[in-house]
Amino acid sequence: MSTRLTPARRRLALEKLGRERLNELTNRYALEVGDKRVVENHVNALVRVCSTDFGDVLGKLKRKELQSICKALRLDQSGREKQVLIERILGGTEIQEEVVPAPKKETKTNGNGKKGGALEQVALALPAASKLTVDQLERYLWSAADILRGSIDSSDYKNYIFGLLFLKRISDVFEEEAEKLLSKGEPPEIAWEDRDYHQFFVPKKARWPEIQKVASNIGEALNKASSALEDENAGLDGILAGIDFNDERKLGDGKSRDTVLSKLVQHFAKLNLRNAHLAEPDMLGRAYEYLIEKFADDAGKKGGEFYTPKKVVELIVELLQPNEGMRVSDPTCGSGGMLIECANYVKRHGGNPQNLTLHGQEKNLGTWAICKMNLLLHGLSDHRVEKGDTIRDPKLVQDGGLILYDRVIANPPFSLDEWGYETAEADAYGRFRFGVPPKTKGDLAFVQHMVATLNKQGQLGVVMPHGVLFRGGAEAAIRERLLKEDLIEAVIGLPSNLFYGTGIPAAVLVLSRSKPSGRRDRVLFINAAQDFEEGKSQNCLRDADVKKIAAAFHAQTDVERYVRVVPVEEIERNEFNLNISRYVDATAAAEVVDVAKAIRKLRHLESERAAVEVKMNAFLKELGYA
């Protein structure tokens, strides 16, 4: 179990334990402590040793000790189960100060044209005039997990929190639009009931004030609200269908469901998610990405199935440099992070992200819904994301053929077993003309699908396990054909342990239908395996690492032990093996020792030691020991 506790907070937790307990723990982990009578020595040893799993440490404690730690960390101390307290400590979310909404002095017209019925929202202990910041929203949304912690499995948190966030946002924006129409003199029946005046029409049962009124069977009411919202808006079809707020298996019996869901509804009621109340336009999308990353961290491998580390995404987008007007696809789009970063890139470079065509396909229906919500919360409503298996049943088709793209970007599942081998030879779209990959290794099936969807000027970037660079058999034959058609532009080796659920190193492959003349019949190799910041559970790329790798790719200039442009003829002599170490010497340069300087330093140290020895002997003589 990973911990989000900082070393400072771990120290604060450990300091609540007595010396006897700390001594027991340091002995259990065979830690060097020094003077065992000093509590701080035990605390320092336990905080310092990275191999110590803090969750395991907490598991050795008694319930009262865990409650004491919760109190020190300003966490909820309730609950008799030790595991609930441990998860609460590892979650590390402080209790937020509750703010009671001030009574609303003004009345306003509701959906029936009558006064009253809409609640003013107060957001996260903010003064009424303040706008909600990204940091405040992120902390508040993450604290919603504490309501679910101990009640359901952490891998299911995202469904309920994402679903309620989406319902609240849609409802708040709808109310905001309706009130603007009223202020312009439109009658209530237009403002509240005319679908043509709203981006998304929210029927009465799906409006937050109505949801907030429900006291029993809350799960059923939320399911009906979700269905009504989808029925009224074709663009939302299926987004909330995979979330069952009335699921007895996950949320318990009726009483338990009502208790948990009531707390969640009231928790979200305190957030004002209207556009006018947000400190910046895209903050909902940014907070959403934060939650996706947090849940990936919380759920471990399960999270990795739908989340690619943000800096890896930024790197590939910096390599591909999408422009306004381009058509972009992610055939294994997960939660949509790569598509969104393409839009962000265009915006950062002065373009209009609304003029970027974004397409994707995702097999996991729950993740597909998250992707749709993510895109909508980023204001990217004009997109096409299909449900289904990209290899067995590609859905991004038009007029009987695959849609072609300017840029294709993806992080497919590594070395997927049962990827669709049985359908490949008879593929209706001719995607596997370079060869059929092995039955138990689907990596190059995804690469070939991506190549088949590139237009004549198209370029793709894809994350792959290192095995595709050197494995033999059918994969070697596919590599040979890709190289002979001069499609492979770059092979970039990434650090190990970047991805959730796997510690193996990965590589980014860049393939292009139309290489610039200076890059033809050549492959660029970059060894970026040492460019990272080390973390306890995952390593990560830094901004400087992303910039360095992208600059090296665009410069196409050799850099000793880092970058090399290699002719395809040389790769052919190596039997089309693309292992980076064959082309970029990754061994550390031998250190040149200045012998004369080293001897001078040694003599100086010897002289200092002699002087200290003389002084020490004098002290000993004074004390009568010599």
Side-chain angles (χ1 to χ4, degrees):
M1 183 181 298
S2 63
T3 174
R4 284 177 296 282
L5 285 175
T6 63
R9 288 173 67 80
R10 289 201 296 273
R11 180 180 298 278
L12 182 62
L14 290 166
E15 286 172 349
K16 301 303 295 182
L17 305 177
R19 187 178 68 185
E20 184 177 341
R21 173 65 78 187
L22 289 169
N23 186 52
E24 179 184 329
L25 290 170
T26 50
N27 286 339
R28 179 182 293 274
Y29 292 104
L31 301 180
E32 291 287 336
V33 174
D35 188 347
K36 294 190 175 184
R37 295 170 296 177
V38 181
V39 167
E40 186 178 359
N41 291 346
H42 293 280
V43 172
N44 289 339
L46 287 164
V47 170
R48 183 172 61 245
V49 178
C50 296
S51 61
T52 300
D53 184 335
F54 202 65
D56 185 63
V57 172
L58 295 174
K60 306 295 188 296
L61 305 182
K62 297 177 181 178
R63 184 167 63 88
K64 286 186 177 180
E65 291 173 318
L66 294 170
Q67 288 176 321
S68 177
I69 291 173
C70 284
K71 183 178 180 180
L73 298 177
R74 298 186 67 247
L75 303 173
D76 183 6
Q77 303 166 51
S78 64
R80 298 188 58 82
E81 294 293 327
K82 280 180 54 176
Q83 191 59 35
V84 173
L85 297 170
I86 290 170
E87 290 180 0
R88 196 172 291 151
I89 292 167
L90 293 177
T93 306
E94 292 184 1
I95 297 172
Q96 303 292 333
E97 293 295 326
E98 293 284 322
V99 173
V100 179
K104 187 168 175 62
K105 295 179 180 179
E106 297 179 64
T107 56
K108 68 178 181 180
T109 309
N110 63 19
N112 295 323
K114 298 178 181 178
K115 291 185 177 180
L119 300 178
E120 181 178 18
Q121 310 299 338
V122 177
L124 193 61
L126 288 175
S130 297
K131 291 192 174 185
L132 189 64
T133 66
V134 175
D135 182 61
Q136 289 164 335
L137 179 59
E138 286 175 351
R139 286 189 290 109
Y140 197 85
L141 292 178
W142 182 245
S143 71
D146 270 350
I147 296 172
L148 294 167
R149 206 177 301 280
S151 299
I152 66 171
D153 189 87
S154 63
S155 62
D156 292 318
Y157 291 176
K158 63 183 184 296
N159 293 330
Y160 300 108
I161 293 177
F162 290 170
L164 287 171
L165 171 64
F166 193 75
L167 281 171
K168 184 64 164 65
R169 167 65 170 169
I170 289 284
S171 179
D172 281 6
V173 172
F174 175 83
E175 284 191 5
E176 185 177 35
E177 291 170 344
E179 289 177 4
K180 283 182 180 178
L181 290 169
L182 290 172
S183 69
K184 293 177 180 178
E186 295 289 350
E189 58 270 21
I190 293 293
W192 292 98
E193 302 301 335
D194 194 318
R195 288 148 178 77
D196 294 336
Y197 282 80
H198 297 277
Q199 180 186 9
F200 297 109
F201 180 77
V202 181
K204 187 176 180 182
K205 67 174 64 176
R207 297 173 194 171
W208 201 262
E210 296 300 316
I211 291 172
Q212 218 178 332
K213 291 176 185 176
V214 180
S216 61
N217 296 322
I218 299 172
E220 184 178 351
L222 286 168
N223 283 349
K224 288 180 178 178
S226 302
S227 297
L229 189 62
E230 291 184 9
D231 290 342
E232 290 284 356
N233 302 275
L236 304 182
D237 185 37
I239 284 185
L240 297 167
I243 305 172
D244 185 359
F245 290 101
N246 213 29
D247 191 333
E248 185 174 353
R249 295 168 302 168
K250 293 180 179 178
L251 292 167
D253 59 25
K255 184 177 180 180
S256 298
R257 289 199 299 278
D258 281 344
T259 299
V260 171
L261 292 174
S262 176
K263 288 180 181 178
L264 278 177
V265 168
Q266 298 310 317
H267 185 77
F268 277 94
K270 296 182 178 70
L271 282 177
N272 184 339
L273 300 178
R274 298 183 180 199
N275 289 321
H277 194 72
L278 305 183
E280 49 188 279
D282 190 36
M283 62 179 291
L284 259 293
R286 287 177 56 192
Y288 200 84
E289 288 178 4
Y290 164 86
L291 279 177
I292 290 172
E293 181 177 4
K294 281 291 187 182
F295 284 125
D297 186 45
D298 200 49
K301 186 175 181 180
K302 291 181 181 178
E305 292 174 0
F306 66 90
Y307 178 76
T308 303
K310 185 172 177 58
K311 290 301 173 187
V312 175
V313 177
E314 289 179 9
L315 169 62
I316 303 175
V317 174
E318 287 287 341
L319 300 176
L320 298 183
Q321 297 183 324
N323 296 319
E324 182 179 351
M326 282 188 173
R327 183 181 283 173
V328 180
S329 171
D330 182 348
T332 57
C333 61
S335 56
M338 289 188 165
L339 296 175
I340 289 165
E341 182 55 31
C342 287
N344 291 340
Y345 180 90
V346 168
K347 186 177 180 180
R348 285 197 303 271
H349 290 79
N352 182 358
Q354 301 299 331
N355 292 336
L356 197 65
T357 299
L358 300 175
H359 288 181
Q361 184 164 341
E362 173 56 40
K363 180 179 179 180
N364 183 295
L365 297 186
T367 309
W368 169 86
I370 290 173
C371 177
K372 292 279 287 183
M373 284 188 257
N374 200 4
L375 288 162
L376 288 169
L377 288 172
H378 276 84
L380 301 168
S381 56
D382 188 17
H383 60 261
R384 176 179 173 182
V385 179
E386 300 286 353
K387 292 176 281 188
D389 187 320
T390 288
I391 300 300
R392 290 184 174 88
D393 185 21
K395 296 287 184 65
L396 295 170
V397 296
Q398 187 175 314
D399 299 326
L402 298 169
I403 299 174
L404 302 183
Y405 298 93
D406 301 284
R407 296 288 185 269
V408 182
I409 180 170
N411 176 17
F414 287 179
S415 301
L416 185 65
D417 193 3
E418 301 297 331
W419 53 268
Y421 176 86
E422 70 284 354
T423 66
E425 286 189 354
D427 180 59
Y429 303 101
R431 290 173 291 171
F432 306 108
R433 63 187 181 86
F434 300 100
V436 177
K439 186 175 182 179
T440 59
K441 295 285 188 296
D443 303 302
L444 291 178
F446 288 103
V447 171
Q448 290 189 80
H449 168 86
M450 295 173 74
V451 169
T453 60
L454 289 178
N455 63 25
K456 291 181 180 180
Q457 303 298 318
Q459 190 179 40
L460 72 84
V462 60
V463 183
M464 286 277 118
H466 271 234
V468 303
L469 305 178
F470 54 78
R471 287 193 295 245
E475 291 181 298
I478 295 169
R479 280 199 308 274
E480 177 180 347
R481 291 165 189 158
L482 289 169
L483 285 161
K484 285 185 174 179
E485 284 203 17
D486 200 21
L487 289 167
I488 300 177
E489 186 169 357
V491 178
I492 301 168
L494 298 178
S496 60
N497 202 28
L498 287 181
F499 296 85
Y500 293 95
T502 178
I504 65 172
V508 173
L509 304 185
V510 180
L511 285 79
S512 178
R513 283 277 191 196
S514 181
K515 290 185 184 180
S517 57
R519 301 185 186 184
R520 290 173 191 164
D521 297 314
R522 291 173 173 81
V523 176
L524 179 76
F525 288 86
I526 300 177
N527 175 26
Q530 304 306 314
D531 297 335
F532 66 94
E533 179 178 6
E534 188 174 358
K536 181 176 173 62
S537 55
Q538 256 82 39
N539 297 328
C540 65
L541 296 178
R542 299 158 294 195
D543 287 336
D545 301 324
V546 171
K547 290 176 182 176
K548 179 183 177 183
I549 298 167
F553 171 79
H554 293 299
Q556 296 278 317
T557 302
D558 287 2
V559 178
E560 189 175 3
R561 302 181 191 282
Y562 187 65
V563 183
R564 186 169 168 232
V565 180
V566 180
V568 171
E569 292 91 336
E570 181 179 339
I571 299 172
E572 185 173 359
R573 290 197 297 273
N574 282 312
E575 298 179 334
F576 300 99
N577 189 313
L578 294 175
N579 199 344
I580 299 167
S581 61
R582 285 185 177 241
Y583 307 102
V584 181
D585 183 5
T587 58
E591 183 180 357
V592 178
V593 178
D594 185 334
V595 177
K597 184 178 179 181
I599 291 173
R600 286 196 301 271
K601 185 176 181 181
L602 176 62
R603 297 290 179 256
H604 176 71
L605 292 171
E606 287 175 340
S607 174
E608 285 187 338
R609 185 186 68 179
V612 170
E613 190 174 355
V614 168
K615 187 179 290 188
M616 182 185 71
N617 288 335
F619 286 142
L620 289 172
K621 187 174 182 180
E622 246 181 75
L623 294 169
Y625 288 103

